[in-house]
Amino acid sequence: MLNGKTAIITGSTSGIGLGIARALAADGANIMLNGFGDAALIDRLKKELAAGGIAVDHHPADMTRPAEIADLVRQTAARFGSVDILVNNAGIQHVAAIEDFPAERWDAVIAINLTSAFHTMHHALPLMKSRNWGRVINIASAHGLVASAMKSAYVAAKHGIVGLTKVAALENAQSGITVNAICPGWVLTPLVQKQIDARAAERGLTPDAARRELLGEKQPSLEFVTPEQLGALAVFLCSDAAAQIRGASYAVDGGWTAQ
Ligand code: NAD
């Protein structure tokens, strides 16, 4: 049980991050939510999580802004007394060939999907070291292990975070701090729904046909991974049983990277 521990989950107002926040909260951790959303959504999520008896707050740090990331870690420690678990999850996608890829989108994908994890760890690791316990979980992707055309920035960022995970794990190998990555395949979140909608529009498919085609191209199980499944793995990685799992990248991808 994670009672008394505090978790920051970046990008936890939606999708996978929210699934992980719910799972960590259900296991007893206090939660600092982060991510975009209107006040009503954030209020509803805070109330939902707090109903389980844990403490919860939200910090609006934009993951492209290092000073705001520093403030997220600082405010979490001030509010809850420690930062024990850090889930680097915030992420965006942009799909285009390299020659058409706007440089501004490249910078945004690298900043949010990769560089923000450097900044969160830079500030949170000293706090974990002071208590000789910590868990960092980086949400990479099947695209951290293999590539797809049209996703240069995303694939570069996700391969980068798999490497960053290994370095951070090694630098803390003789401590109670572990650092690991989770590499999901397709999860039906707003990030993927946009790609399904684009595919349906481009090829004149129904949303259902576009969804089936998307899965069929990459994910042999033909089923989406769920945020609940990823939340359960995150809880396991925070447990004592996972204390010697260090620098690993867990594929949870319906067989995508087994091919
Ligand atoms: P999502 O769009 O549902 O959620 C993204 C979250 O990140 C939201 O809370 C959003 O507000 C937040 N966010 C976006 N930009 C931000 C910024 N600049 N600062 C702070 N927060 C920001 O997406 P998701 O599918 O749940 O993706 C979560 C993570 O999982 C991403 O890193 C993504 O690359 C990864 N992932 C997703 C899939 C998938 O199939 N959905 C597969 C593999 C990996």
Side-chain angles (χ1 to χ4, degrees), residues 222-238:
L222 301 180
E223 288 179 12
F224 287 102
V225 178
T226 67
E228 290 74 19
Q229 290 164 346
L230 299 171
L233 177 54
V235 169
F236 171 69
L237 287 172
C238 291

Side-chain angles (χ1 to χ4, degrees), residues 9-19 34-37 41 59-65 68-69 88-93 108 111-113 116 138-143 154 158 161 182-195 214 219 224-225 227 230 252 256:
I9 307 101
T10 68
S12 46
T13 51
S14 171
I16 294 170
L18 179 55
N34 160 260
F36 302 140
L41 168 75
H59 189 289
D62 181 331
M63 290 297 120
T64 63
R65 303 206 171 128
E68 294 184 16
I69 298 174
N88 289 306
N89 165 81
I92 59 167
Q93 175 63 284
I112 297 167
N113 296 22
S116 72
N138 294 323
I139 306 306
S141 167
H143 284 120
Y154 190 85
K158 295 301 187 181
I161 205 162
I182 297 178
C183 298
W186 294 123
V187 186
L188 191 52
T189 66
L191 183 144
V192 165
Q193 189 61 49
K194 271 190 217 151
Q195 296 174 61
L214 181 103
Q219 199 144 302
F224 287 102
V225 178
L230 299 171
V252 186
W256 180 326

Side-chain angles (χ1 to χ4, degrees), residues 15-223:
I16 294 170
L18 179 55
I20 291 175
R22 284 180 170 137
L24 294 176
D27 208 58
N30 297 323
I31 302 292
M32 181 60 95
L33 294 167
N34 160 260
F36 302 140
D38 61 28
L41 168 75
I42 288 163
D43 200 48
R44 181 171 61 72
L45 294 178
K46 278 165 61 173
K47 285 201 179 106
E48 178 206 312
L49 294 178
I54 53 112
V56 51
D57 212 337
H58 170 267
H59 189 289
D62 181 331
M63 290 297 120
T64 63
R65 303 206 171 128
E68 294 184 16
I69 298 174
D71 193 61
L72 162 66
V73 176
R74 199 166 37 237
Q75 295 289 339
T76 305
R79 165 80 169 78
F80 298 106
S82 63
V83 176
D84 308 290
I85 299 163
L86 168 64
V87 183
N88 289 306
N89 165 81
I92 59 167
Q93 175 63 284
H94 188 82
V95 181
I98 293 172
E99 62 268 33
D100 302 325
F101 214 94
E104 168 276 322
R105 285 291 84 196
W106 169 277
D107 288 343
V109 172
I110 298 295
I112 297 167
N113 296 22
L114 175 58
T115 310
S116 72
F118 160 74
H119 290 295
T120 54
M121 286 199 281
H122 180 73
H123 295 290
L125 284 170
L127 301 176
M128 293 177 179
K129 275 186 182 161
S130 70
R131 303 161 77 95
N132 196 34
W133 196 93
R135 294 288 188 268
V136 179
I137 301 172
N138 294 323
I139 306 306
S141 167
H143 284 120
L145 305 172
V146 297
S148 296
M150 315 295 277
K151 294 186 175 174
S152 53
Y154 190 85
V155 169
K158 295 301 187 181
H159 275 66
I161 205 162
V162 166
L164 178 62
T165 299
K166 293 176 188 174
V167 174
L170 291 175
E171 288 182 4
N172 293 282
Q174 288 166 22
S175 78
I177 303 166
T178 74
V179 185
N180 293 289
I182 297 178
C183 298
W186 294 123
V187 186
L188 191 52
T189 66
L191 183 144
V192 165
Q193 189 61 49
K194 271 190 217 151
Q195 296 174 61
I196 292 170
D197 294 345
R199 182 182 289 256
E202 244 168 56
R203 303 159 63 109
L205 299 171
T206 64
D208 220 42
R211 209 174 296 130
R212 276 198 307 275
E213 197 183 84
L214 181 103
L215 283 170
E217 274 175 11
K218 300 282 185 187
Q219 199 144 302
S221 68
L222 301 180
E223 288 179 12

